Short mmCIF file of all heavy atoms in Angstrom, two decimals:
data_model
loop_
_atom_site.label_atom_id
_atom_site.label_comp_id
_atom_site.label_asym_id
_atom_site.label_seq_id
_atom_site.Cartn_x
_atom_site.Cartn_y
_atom_site.Cartn_z
N ARG A 64 19.09 -15.18 -4.62
CA ARG A 64 19.37 -16.09 -3.50
C ARG A 64 18.36 -17.23 -3.45
O ARG A 64 18.67 -18.33 -3.00
CB ARG A 64 19.32 -15.27 -2.20
CG ARG A 64 20.06 -15.89 -1.05
CD ARG A 64 20.18 -14.89 0.10
NE ARG A 64 20.97 -13.72 -0.27
CZ ARG A 64 21.13 -12.64 0.52
NH1 ARG A 64 20.54 -12.60 1.70
NH2 ARG A 64 21.85 -11.62 0.12
N ARG A 106 22.69 -3.41 -9.62
CA ARG A 106 22.50 -2.68 -8.37
C ARG A 106 22.83 -1.21 -8.63
O ARG A 106 23.83 -0.91 -9.28
CB ARG A 106 23.42 -3.24 -7.30
CG ARG A 106 23.31 -2.50 -5.96
CD ARG A 106 24.00 -3.26 -4.84
NE ARG A 106 25.42 -3.44 -5.13
CZ ARG A 106 26.24 -4.14 -4.33
NH1 ARG A 106 25.78 -4.74 -3.26
NH2 ARG A 106 27.52 -4.25 -4.64
N GLN A 111 20.63 9.12 -1.89
CA GLN A 111 20.41 9.41 -0.47
C GLN A 111 20.94 8.29 0.44
O GLN A 111 20.61 8.23 1.61
CB GLN A 111 18.91 9.60 -0.21
CG GLN A 111 18.30 10.73 -1.03
CD GLN A 111 16.79 10.74 -0.95
OE1 GLN A 111 16.20 11.35 -0.08
NE2 GLN A 111 16.15 10.02 -1.85
N GLY A 112 21.81 7.42 -0.12
CA GLY A 112 22.27 6.26 0.65
C GLY A 112 21.38 5.09 0.33
O GLY A 112 20.26 5.24 -0.14
N CYS A 114 20.44 1.49 -1.72
CA CYS A 114 20.58 1.09 -3.11
C CYS A 114 19.28 0.49 -3.61
O CYS A 114 18.34 0.29 -2.85
CB CYS A 114 21.70 0.07 -3.26
SG CYS A 114 21.36 -1.46 -2.42
N ASP A 115 19.25 0.23 -4.89
CA ASP A 115 18.09 -0.43 -5.49
C ASP A 115 18.63 -1.58 -6.34
O ASP A 115 19.81 -1.60 -6.68
CB ASP A 115 17.30 0.57 -6.33
CG ASP A 115 15.81 0.24 -6.36
OD1 ASP A 115 15.49 -0.97 -6.47
OD2 ASP A 115 14.99 1.16 -6.29
N HIS A 144 6.70 -5.09 -9.58
CA HIS A 144 7.66 -4.11 -9.07
C HIS A 144 8.17 -3.34 -10.29
O HIS A 144 9.05 -3.80 -11.01
CB HIS A 144 8.82 -4.80 -8.35
CG HIS A 144 8.38 -5.53 -7.11
ND1 HIS A 144 9.19 -6.41 -6.45
CD2 HIS A 144 7.21 -5.50 -6.43
CE1 HIS A 144 8.54 -6.89 -5.40
NE2 HIS A 144 7.33 -6.37 -5.37
N THR A 160 12.84 1.38 -8.08
CA THR A 160 11.71 0.46 -8.07
C THR A 160 10.50 1.11 -7.42
O THR A 160 10.64 1.82 -6.43
CB THR A 160 12.08 -0.80 -7.26
OG1 THR A 160 13.26 -1.37 -7.80
CG2 THR A 160 10.95 -1.83 -7.27
N MET A 162 6.62 -0.28 -6.07
CA MET A 162 5.88 -1.53 -5.88
C MET A 162 4.43 -1.40 -6.34
O MET A 162 3.50 -1.96 -5.74
CB MET A 162 5.96 -1.98 -4.42
CG MET A 162 7.38 -2.40 -4.05
SD MET A 162 7.54 -3.01 -2.35
CE MET A 162 6.35 -4.35 -2.33
N GLU A 165 2.22 -4.74 -7.20
CA GLU A 165 1.94 -5.57 -6.02
C GLU A 165 0.93 -4.88 -5.10
O GLU A 165 0.00 -5.52 -4.61
CB GLU A 165 3.22 -5.89 -5.24
CG GLU A 165 2.93 -6.78 -4.03
CD GLU A 165 4.14 -7.46 -3.42
OE1 GLU A 165 5.28 -7.20 -3.86
OE2 GLU A 165 3.92 -8.27 -2.49
N SER A 174 -8.09 -5.82 0.57
CA SER A 174 -8.36 -4.64 1.41
C SER A 174 -9.84 -4.31 1.48
O SER A 174 -10.66 -4.82 0.72
CB SER A 174 -7.62 -3.43 0.85
OG SER A 174 -8.32 -2.89 -0.25
N MET A 175 -10.15 -3.40 2.40
CA MET A 175 -11.50 -2.84 2.49
C MET A 175 -11.89 -2.19 1.16
O MET A 175 -13.05 -2.25 0.75
CB MET A 175 -11.50 -1.81 3.63
CG MET A 175 -12.77 -1.06 3.85
SD MET A 175 -12.98 0.37 2.77
CE MET A 175 -11.77 1.50 3.45
N ARG A 200 -2.39 15.62 -6.26
CA ARG A 200 -2.85 16.49 -5.18
C ARG A 200 -1.86 16.51 -4.03
O ARG A 200 -1.01 15.63 -3.90
CB ARG A 200 -4.19 15.97 -4.64
CG ARG A 200 -5.31 16.12 -5.60
CD ARG A 200 -6.58 15.67 -4.93
NE ARG A 200 -7.73 15.99 -5.75
CZ ARG A 200 -8.97 16.13 -5.30
NH1 ARG A 200 -9.22 15.96 -4.02
NH2 ARG A 200 -9.95 16.43 -6.11
N ASP A 201 -2.03 17.49 -3.16
CA ASP A 201 -1.30 17.49 -1.90
C ASP A 201 -1.66 16.22 -1.14
O ASP A 201 -2.78 15.73 -1.24
CB ASP A 201 -1.72 18.69 -1.04
CG ASP A 201 -1.23 20.00 -1.64
OD1 ASP A 201 -0.29 19.96 -2.46
OD2 ASP A 201 -1.80 21.05 -1.28
N ASP A 203 -0.20 12.49 1.06
CA ASP A 203 0.50 11.23 0.85
C ASP A 203 -0.44 10.19 0.23
O ASP A 203 -1.66 10.28 0.35
CB ASP A 203 1.01 10.72 2.20
CG ASP A 203 2.03 9.62 2.04
OD1 ASP A 203 3.20 9.95 1.80
OD2 ASP A 203 1.64 8.43 2.12
N LEU A 205 -1.05 7.32 1.35
CA LEU A 205 -1.87 6.68 2.40
C LEU A 205 -3.20 7.42 2.59
O LEU A 205 -4.21 6.82 2.94
CB LEU A 205 -1.10 6.65 3.73
CG LEU A 205 0.11 5.73 3.77
CD1 LEU A 205 0.88 5.94 5.07
CD2 LEU A 205 -0.30 4.27 3.61
N HIS A 206 -3.16 8.73 2.37
CA HIS A 206 -4.41 9.52 2.43
C HIS A 206 -5.19 9.40 1.12
O HIS A 206 -6.41 9.18 1.13
CB HIS A 206 -4.07 10.98 2.71
CG HIS A 206 -5.22 11.93 2.56
ND1 HIS A 206 -6.42 11.75 3.20
CD2 HIS A 206 -5.37 13.04 1.80
CE1 HIS A 206 -7.26 12.72 2.86
NE2 HIS A 206 -6.64 13.51 2.01
N PHE A 209 -7.76 6.59 0.44
CA PHE A 209 -9.10 6.63 1.05
C PHE A 209 -10.13 7.27 0.13
O PHE A 209 -11.33 7.11 0.33
CB PHE A 209 -9.03 7.35 2.40
CG PHE A 209 -10.19 7.06 3.31
CD1 PHE A 209 -10.41 5.78 3.80
CD2 PHE A 209 -11.07 8.07 3.70
CE1 PHE A 209 -11.48 5.50 4.64
CE2 PHE A 209 -12.15 7.80 4.54
CZ PHE A 209 -12.35 6.52 5.01
N LEU A 216 -18.55 6.25 -1.88
CA LEU A 216 -19.60 6.48 -0.87
C LEU A 216 -20.60 7.52 -1.34
O LEU A 216 -21.81 7.40 -1.12
CB LEU A 216 -18.91 6.94 0.42
CG LEU A 216 -19.72 7.04 1.70
CD1 LEU A 216 -20.29 5.70 2.09
CD2 LEU A 216 -18.81 7.57 2.83
N PHE A 217 -20.09 8.58 -1.98
CA PHE A 217 -20.99 9.66 -2.39
C PHE A 217 -21.28 9.61 -3.90
O PHE A 217 -21.62 10.61 -4.51
CB PHE A 217 -20.41 11.01 -1.96
CG PHE A 217 -20.29 11.11 -0.45
CD1 PHE A 217 -19.05 11.06 0.17
CD2 PHE A 217 -21.43 11.21 0.33
CE1 PHE A 217 -18.96 11.12 1.55
CE2 PHE A 217 -21.34 11.27 1.72
CZ PHE A 217 -20.10 11.22 2.33
N HIS A 236 0.95 7.96 -8.81
CA HIS A 236 1.93 8.14 -7.74
C HIS A 236 3.32 7.67 -8.19
O HIS A 236 4.32 8.31 -7.90
CB HIS A 236 1.49 7.40 -6.47
CG HIS A 236 0.76 8.30 -5.53
ND1 HIS A 236 1.38 9.09 -4.60
CD2 HIS A 236 -0.56 8.59 -5.42
CE1 HIS A 236 0.48 9.81 -3.94
NE2 HIS A 236 -0.70 9.51 -4.42
N ASP A 240 7.35 10.55 -9.29
CA ASP A 240 8.81 10.55 -9.13
C ASP A 240 9.55 10.75 -10.45
O ASP A 240 10.78 10.80 -10.46
CB ASP A 240 9.27 9.21 -8.50
CG ASP A 240 8.94 9.13 -7.02
OD1 ASP A 240 8.48 10.14 -6.46
OD2 ASP A 240 9.16 8.06 -6.43
N ARG B 64 -23.88 2.58 6.23
CA ARG B 64 -24.77 1.87 5.31
C ARG B 64 -24.77 0.37 5.60
O ARG B 64 -25.75 -0.32 5.38
CB ARG B 64 -24.30 2.12 3.88
CG ARG B 64 -25.34 1.91 2.82
CD ARG B 64 -24.89 2.47 1.48
NE ARG B 64 -24.72 3.92 1.51
CZ ARG B 64 -24.18 4.64 0.51
NH1 ARG B 64 -23.78 4.02 -0.59
NH2 ARG B 64 -24.07 5.94 0.60
N ARG B 106 -18.48 14.54 8.21
CA ARG B 106 -17.95 14.67 6.85
C ARG B 106 -17.21 16.00 6.75
O ARG B 106 -17.72 17.02 7.23
CB ARG B 106 -19.11 14.64 5.85
CG ARG B 106 -18.66 14.82 4.40
CD ARG B 106 -19.78 14.46 3.44
NE ARG B 106 -20.94 15.32 3.63
CZ ARG B 106 -22.08 15.18 2.95
NH1 ARG B 106 -22.21 14.23 2.03
NH2 ARG B 106 -23.09 15.99 3.17
N GLN B 111 -9.34 20.54 -1.88
CA GLN B 111 -9.10 20.30 -3.30
C GLN B 111 -10.31 19.65 -3.98
O GLN B 111 -10.20 19.10 -5.08
CB GLN B 111 -7.87 19.40 -3.48
CG GLN B 111 -6.61 19.99 -2.86
CD GLN B 111 -5.48 18.99 -2.82
OE1 GLN B 111 -4.70 18.87 -3.75
NE2 GLN B 111 -5.41 18.24 -1.73
N GLY B 112 -11.48 19.69 -3.32
CA GLY B 112 -12.65 19.01 -3.86
C GLY B 112 -12.74 17.63 -3.22
O GLY B 112 -11.77 17.11 -2.70
N ASP B 115 -13.89 13.87 3.10
CA ASP B 115 -13.41 12.77 3.92
C ASP B 115 -14.49 12.47 4.95
O ASP B 115 -15.36 13.32 5.18
CB ASP B 115 -12.08 13.16 4.59
CG ASP B 115 -11.19 11.95 4.82
OD1 ASP B 115 -11.73 10.88 5.21
OD2 ASP B 115 -9.98 12.06 4.64
N HIS B 144 -7.57 2.83 9.86
CA HIS B 144 -7.68 4.06 9.08
C HIS B 144 -7.47 5.21 10.05
O HIS B 144 -8.38 5.59 10.79
CB HIS B 144 -9.07 4.16 8.43
CG HIS B 144 -9.33 3.07 7.42
ND1 HIS B 144 -10.56 2.82 6.90
CD2 HIS B 144 -8.50 2.18 6.86
CE1 HIS B 144 -10.48 1.80 6.05
NE2 HIS B 144 -9.24 1.39 6.01
N THR B 160 -8.06 11.20 6.47
CA THR B 160 -7.82 9.79 6.77
C THR B 160 -6.54 9.33 6.09
O THR B 160 -6.27 9.72 4.96
CB THR B 160 -8.98 8.95 6.22
OG1 THR B 160 -10.20 9.43 6.78
CG2 THR B 160 -8.81 7.47 6.55
N MET B 162 -4.65 5.48 5.40
CA MET B 162 -4.92 4.04 5.55
C MET B 162 -3.71 3.28 6.10
O MET B 162 -3.43 2.14 5.70
CB MET B 162 -5.40 3.45 4.23
CG MET B 162 -6.79 4.00 3.84
SD MET B 162 -7.45 3.28 2.31
CE MET B 162 -7.44 1.54 2.73
N GLU B 165 -4.18 -0.37 7.84
CA GLU B 165 -4.61 -1.41 6.91
C GLU B 165 -3.48 -1.79 5.95
O GLU B 165 -3.24 -2.97 5.69
CB GLU B 165 -5.86 -0.98 6.13
CG GLU B 165 -6.31 -2.08 5.17
CD GLU B 165 -7.73 -1.91 4.63
OE1 GLU B 165 -8.38 -0.90 4.93
OE2 GLU B 165 -8.17 -2.83 3.91
N SER B 174 2.18 -9.62 1.40
CA SER B 174 3.10 -9.14 0.36
C SER B 174 4.42 -9.89 0.33
O SER B 174 4.77 -10.63 1.26
CB SER B 174 3.39 -7.66 0.56
OG SER B 174 4.36 -7.49 1.58
N MET B 175 5.17 -9.65 -0.73
CA MET B 175 6.54 -10.14 -0.82
C MET B 175 7.38 -9.63 0.36
O MET B 175 8.24 -10.34 0.87
CB MET B 175 7.11 -9.67 -2.16
CG MET B 175 8.56 -9.99 -2.42
SD MET B 175 9.72 -8.83 -1.65
CE MET B 175 9.50 -7.41 -2.69
N ARG B 200 12.56 11.09 2.86
CA ARG B 200 13.36 11.19 1.65
C ARG B 200 12.54 11.60 0.44
O ARG B 200 11.33 11.49 0.44
CB ARG B 200 13.99 9.82 1.34
CG ARG B 200 15.00 9.40 2.36
CD ARG B 200 15.62 8.09 1.90
NE ARG B 200 16.75 7.75 2.75
CZ ARG B 200 17.73 6.94 2.39
NH1 ARG B 200 17.72 6.38 1.20
NH2 ARG B 200 18.73 6.69 3.21
N ASP B 201 13.25 12.00 -0.60
CA ASP B 201 12.59 12.20 -1.88
C ASP B 201 11.96 10.88 -2.32
O ASP B 201 12.48 9.81 -2.01
CB ASP B 201 13.62 12.60 -2.95
CG ASP B 201 14.16 13.99 -2.70
OD1 ASP B 201 13.51 14.75 -1.97
OD2 ASP B 201 15.23 14.30 -3.25
N ASP B 203 8.24 8.67 -3.77
CA ASP B 203 6.91 8.26 -3.34
C ASP B 203 6.98 7.02 -2.43
O ASP B 203 7.95 6.26 -2.45
CB ASP B 203 6.08 7.93 -4.59
CG ASP B 203 4.61 7.83 -4.26
OD1 ASP B 203 3.96 8.88 -4.17
OD2 ASP B 203 4.12 6.70 -4.06
N LEU B 205 5.47 4.30 -2.83
CA LEU B 205 5.58 3.08 -3.65
C LEU B 205 7.04 2.71 -3.88
O LEU B 205 7.37 1.53 -4.01
CB LEU B 205 4.87 3.27 -4.99
CG LEU B 205 3.34 3.39 -4.93
CD1 LEU B 205 2.79 3.77 -6.30
CD2 LEU B 205 2.71 2.10 -4.43
N HIS B 206 7.90 3.72 -3.96
CA HIS B 206 9.34 3.47 -4.08
C HIS B 206 9.95 3.15 -2.72
O HIS B 206 10.72 2.19 -2.57
CB HIS B 206 10.01 4.69 -4.72
CG HIS B 206 11.51 4.64 -4.66
ND1 HIS B 206 12.24 3.58 -5.16
CD2 HIS B 206 12.42 5.52 -4.17
CE1 HIS B 206 13.53 3.80 -4.97
NE2 HIS B 206 13.66 4.96 -4.38
N PHE B 209 10.10 -0.42 -1.23
CA PHE B 209 11.07 -1.41 -1.71
C PHE B 209 12.34 -1.41 -0.86
O PHE B 209 13.12 -2.37 -0.92
CB PHE B 209 11.40 -1.13 -3.19
CG PHE B 209 12.00 -2.32 -3.91
CD1 PHE B 209 11.28 -3.48 -4.09
CD2 PHE B 209 13.29 -2.25 -4.42
CE1 PHE B 209 11.83 -4.57 -4.76
CE2 PHE B 209 13.85 -3.34 -5.09
CZ PHE B 209 13.12 -4.50 -5.26
N LEU B 216 18.15 -7.25 2.02
CA LEU B 216 19.01 -7.99 1.08
C LEU B 216 20.48 -7.79 1.39
O LEU B 216 21.29 -8.72 1.29
CB LEU B 216 18.69 -7.49 -0.34
CG LEU B 216 19.24 -8.23 -1.54
CD1 LEU B 216 18.75 -9.66 -1.57
CD2 LEU B 216 18.83 -7.51 -2.83
N PHE B 217 20.86 -6.55 1.72
CA PHE B 217 22.27 -6.27 1.96
C PHE B 217 22.59 -6.16 3.46
O PHE B 217 23.56 -5.54 3.87
CB PHE B 217 22.69 -5.01 1.20
CG PHE B 217 22.54 -5.19 -0.29
CD1 PHE B 217 21.54 -4.54 -0.99
CD2 PHE B 217 23.38 -6.05 -0.98
CE1 PHE B 217 21.39 -4.74 -2.36
CE2 PHE B 217 23.24 -6.26 -2.34
CZ PHE B 217 22.23 -5.60 -3.04
N HIS B 236 5.25 8.32 6.73
CA HIS B 236 4.53 8.86 5.56
C HIS B 236 3.22 9.52 5.99
O HIS B 236 2.86 10.58 5.49
CB HIS B 236 4.27 7.75 4.53
CG HIS B 236 5.33 7.71 3.48
ND1 HIS B 236 5.30 8.48 2.36
CD2 HIS B 236 6.50 7.04 3.43
CE1 HIS B 236 6.39 8.27 1.63
NE2 HIS B 236 7.12 7.38 2.26
N ASP B 240 2.17 14.49 6.10
CA ASP B 240 1.05 15.41 5.81
C ASP B 240 0.73 16.34 6.99
O ASP B 240 -0.15 17.19 6.88
CB ASP B 240 -0.22 14.62 5.46
CG ASP B 240 -0.14 14.02 4.06
OD1 ASP B 240 0.83 14.31 3.34
OD2 ASP B 240 -1.06 13.25 3.70
#
Side-chain angles (χ1 to χ4, degrees):
Chain A
R64 202 169 296 174
R106 178 168 60 183
Q111 301 169 89
C114 65
D115 210 319
H144 296 168
T160 304
M162 292 182 57
E165 181 164 5
S174 79
M175 177 277 288
R200 292 184 171 204
D201 291 340
D203 194 82
L205 292 172
H206 170 54
F209 199 64
L216 190 61
F217 297 107
H236 266 274
D240 286 353
Chain B
R64 202 168 296 172
R106 178 167 61 182
Q111 302 169 89
D115 210 320
H144 296 168
T160 304
M162 292 182 58
E165 181 165 4
S174 79
M175 176 278 288
R200 293 184 172 202
D201 290 341
D203 194 81
L205 292 172
H206 170 54
F209 200 64
L216 191 61
F217 298 109
H236 266 274
D240 286 354

